[in-house]
Amino acid sequence: MHPLIRNHGDQPRNPNYEKDIVYVTRHNKWVLNSIGIWPAVLKGIGQFLPKIAIGVSNLVLFFTLVQCVLHIIFEQKDPLLRLKILGLTCFSFISLMKYWALTARKSKIEHCIELLYADWKQVEFQRDRKLMLKYGKIGRKLTVYSAVFMYSGGIIYHTIMQYAIGSYVDEFNRTIKLLVYPTYSALYDVQKSPVYELVYIVQCMCGYVFDTVTAGACGLAALFATHACGQIDIVMSRIDDLIDGKFSEENSSLNVRLMEIVQHHIRTLKFSAMVETVLQEVCFLEFVGTTFVICLLEYYCIVDWEQNNKIGLTTYSLLLTSLTFNMFLLCYIGELLIEKSTNVRISCMIDWYRLPAKTVRDLILIIAMSNSPAKISAGRIVDLSLSTFGSVLKTSFAYLNFLRTAVM
């Protein structure tokens, strides 16, 4: 049993809560455990493993990012290659900032997971469990989609692209082996063995951390947002059942049923507000970084198309698809949460004339609360929705036109 479940004091009402929790959180746990963001489940020395993972990940990211910057500043003179390395450096820097944001919010992430576990533990009716499983399945699928696209693009970049760049013979008749992440030659000679092999392994680890941070952030958003949607559906079903009380506890009064609805709605809104706080920095960095990196990837695709570089075109196209799809998933999750929390007021279209006047007034307050829907924002500047995704694409194309005019 997970410690976060065991430490919760109330007796479980859902006999299947352990199986349900494992079902909805399994993939997020796999992804985030490897970079130390998921709450520790081991005791003793095992509880320090997340801190070790965070330390090693930061060391690997710094090792790669600093060398990219030094290579651009002091060694690389070709404008096109500089531009390509700049895109890689920007993606690396944004990923590092997202990792720091997740690390800084780790305690709040753990609290959100505790609330999620508590909700699953206290599910009382089979109807409510089915609603939560419905959205839990959606969150699980979105997490898998994000991980598959990100890891596929990363693996192809570190294998096919590594093969594509190959090697060349310099003016001193030396065979120069290249790497997907450039290195700074003043620090060490990467051409010597086993230095080359060790640096390549470290760069593969770095790419894994980059992809895991992006997939993990999207997975967390999917897990928390779909859980909130499931709770909102439970609120709506209880509003529909307010008058007759067919699915409520036996002999429960109208006031008791209304009180339970209000308490559940408030708890869901508080959970949604905490989720927005947890994800706002990560989503802001994703919003800004994806817009810029998509623009550069589009430019790389055009250049490789003109140069008939099929391997480079294929690799950059897959990376472009991965980042675009990941941004789409985040915006879709935000749109789903906004739409679902707004629908609470629609569920109040019940036979209200059969209710006492005081209860009708209370329903009006519930409708008023739903006028400010739960959402996921990018730094509290822009709300993530499908219209936001359209804005990201339009902005990236605008930057692309400017870049082509300035460079070509």
Side-chain angles (χ1 to χ4, degrees):
M1 186 187 301
H2 196 288
L4 295 177
I5 305 173
R6 189 188 301 116
N7 292 338
H8 197 271
D10 297 335
Q11 290 299 317
R13 299 180 182 180
N14 176 16
N16 301 306
Y17 74 97
E18 291 185 25
K19 182 177 67 174
D20 293 342
I21 288 172
V22 170
Y23 177 78
V24 299
T25 63
R26 177 185 289 126
H27 297 99
N28 285 283
K29 189 176 179 181
W30 288 348
V31 170
L32 294 173
N33 257 336
S34 60
I35 56 174
I37 300 300
W38 194 264
V41 298
L42 300 176
K43 297 296 183 181
I45 193 172
Q47 65 182 335
F48 296 104
L49 289 178
K51 295 181 180 179
I52 296 173
I54 291 174
V56 172
S57 298
N58 276 287
L59 185 62
V60 168
L61 298 182
F62 266 110
F63 175 80
T64 303
L65 181 59
V66 170
Q67 291 192 83
C68 286
V69 174
L70 293 176
H71 181 82
I72 292 175
I73 296 175
F74 297 109
E75 292 185 339
Q76 186 55 251
K77 304 302 180 184
D78 190 320
L80 180 58
L81 290 178
R82 265 191 171 184
L83 192 59
K84 286 194 173 184
I85 300 172
L86 177 63
L88 179 63
T89 305
C90 289
F91 175 74
S92 304
F93 180 72
I94 292 294
S95 297
L96 179 61
M97 295 293 290
K98 287 191 292 186
Y99 190 34
W100 286 352
L102 287 175
T103 305
R105 295 292 188 181
K106 186 178 177 181
S107 60
K108 289 188 178 294
I109 292 173
E110 182 171 347
H111 184 55
C112 288
I113 294 173
E114 288 176 348
L115 294 176
L116 183 146
Y117 285 169
D119 286 338
W120 275 106
K121 191 175 180 180
Q122 297 306 312
V123 175
E124 188 171 0
F125 302 107
Q126 189 65 22
R127 179 188 60 167
D128 295 345
R129 178 173 175 263
K130 288 181 179 179
L131 290 174
M132 292 175 66
L133 282 174
K134 171 188 172 183
Y135 285 97
K137 187 175 182 180
I138 294 174
R140 177 186 167 103
K141 287 183 177 179
L142 293 177
T143 301
V144 171
Y145 293 156
S146 176
V148 167
F149 270 86
M150 289 308 302
Y151 287 135
S152 297
I155 290 173
I156 290 171
Y157 184 76
H158 289 85
T159 54
I160 294 180
M161 181 60 81
Q162 177 68 35
Y163 169 78
I165 60 178
S167 60
Y168 68 94
V169 178
D170 66 3
E171 63 271 18
F172 302 105
N173 202 28
R174 296 180 306 173
T175 300
I176 303 299
K177 296 177 289 186
L178 300 176
L179 292 162
V180 287
Y181 295 94
T183 58
Y184 185 51
S185 59
L187 297 177
Y188 53 83
D189 186 3
V190 75
Q191 301 303 317
K192 293 182 178 180
S193 185
V195 176
Y196 177 86
E197 289 77 11
L198 291 174
V199 171
Y200 177 68
I201 292 173
V202 171
Q203 291 187 357
C204 289
M205 293 172 59
C206 178
Y208 171 78
V209 175
F210 288 152
D211 296 334
T212 301
V213 168
T214 303
C218 187
L220 274 181
L223 174 66
F224 292 151
T226 52
H227 178 73
C229 289
Q231 297 304 302
I232 292 171
D233 257 11
I234 292 175
V235 171
M236 294 168 62
S237 68
R238 291 184 178 180
I239 292 176
D240 291 338
D241 189 47
L242 176 62
I243 298 175
D244 298 323
K246 295 179 181 179
F247 301 99
S248 302
E249 294 182 0
E250 293 184 5
N251 302 320
S252 63
S253 65
L254 179 64
N255 289 334
V256 170
R257 294 198 293 271
L258 182 62
M259 180 184 67
E260 291 176 350
I261 291 171
V262 173
Q263 289 177 341
H264 203 120
H265 192 203
I266 291 175
R267 186 166 70 248
T268 302
L269 292 178
K270 287 182 177 179
F271 175 79
S272 302
M274 184 174 296
V275 169
E276 183 185 12
T277 301
V278 167
L279 297 174
Q280 60 179 335
E281 295 91 355
V282 175
C283 290
F284 175 75
L285 291 168
E286 186 74 32
F287 174 77
V288 175
T290 299
T291 303
F292 185 65
V293 175
I294 284 178
C295 162
L296 291 176
L297 287 173
E298 291 166 345
Y299 177 74
Y300 302 158
C301 289
I302 292 174
V303 172
D304 286 344
W305 176 278
E306 293 176 346
Q307 296 177 352
N308 199 28
N309 183 356
K310 295 180 180 179
I311 295 180
L313 175 62
T314 302
T315 304
Y316 286 127
S317 298
L318 288 172
L319 288 174
L320 176 62
T321 303
S322 299
L323 289 178
T324 304
F325 186 75
N326 197 74
M327 188 66 209
F328 169 77
L329 284 183
L330 277 176
C331 292
Y332 171 76
I333 291 165
E335 180 79 21
L336 182 65
L337 185 57
I338 293 173
E339 180 183 359
K340 183 57 63 175
S341 57
T342 305
N343 285 345
V344 173
R345 59 190 178 188
I346 299 177
S347 68
C348 292
M349 300 298 291
I350 57 177
D351 297 339
W352 54 267
Y353 51 84
R354 295 170 54 191
L355 295 170
K358 183 179 181 301
T359 306
V360 174
R361 288 196 296 269
D362 294 335
L363 278 179
I364 294 175
L365 293 177
I366 296 177
I367 295 173
M369 291 172 64
S370 65
N371 285 330
S372 298
K375 57 185 180 295
I376 299 176
S377 67
R380 299 189 187 275
I381 297 175
V382 58
D383 297 336
L384 293 186
S385 62
L386 294 180
S387 62
T388 303
F389 176 70
S391 300
V392 169
L393 294 183
K394 287 189 290 186
T395 305
S396 67
F397 279 117
Y399 287 159
L400 174 63
N401 290 331
F402 172 77
L403 186 62
R404 292 189 64 190
T405 303
V407 176
M408 293 184 172

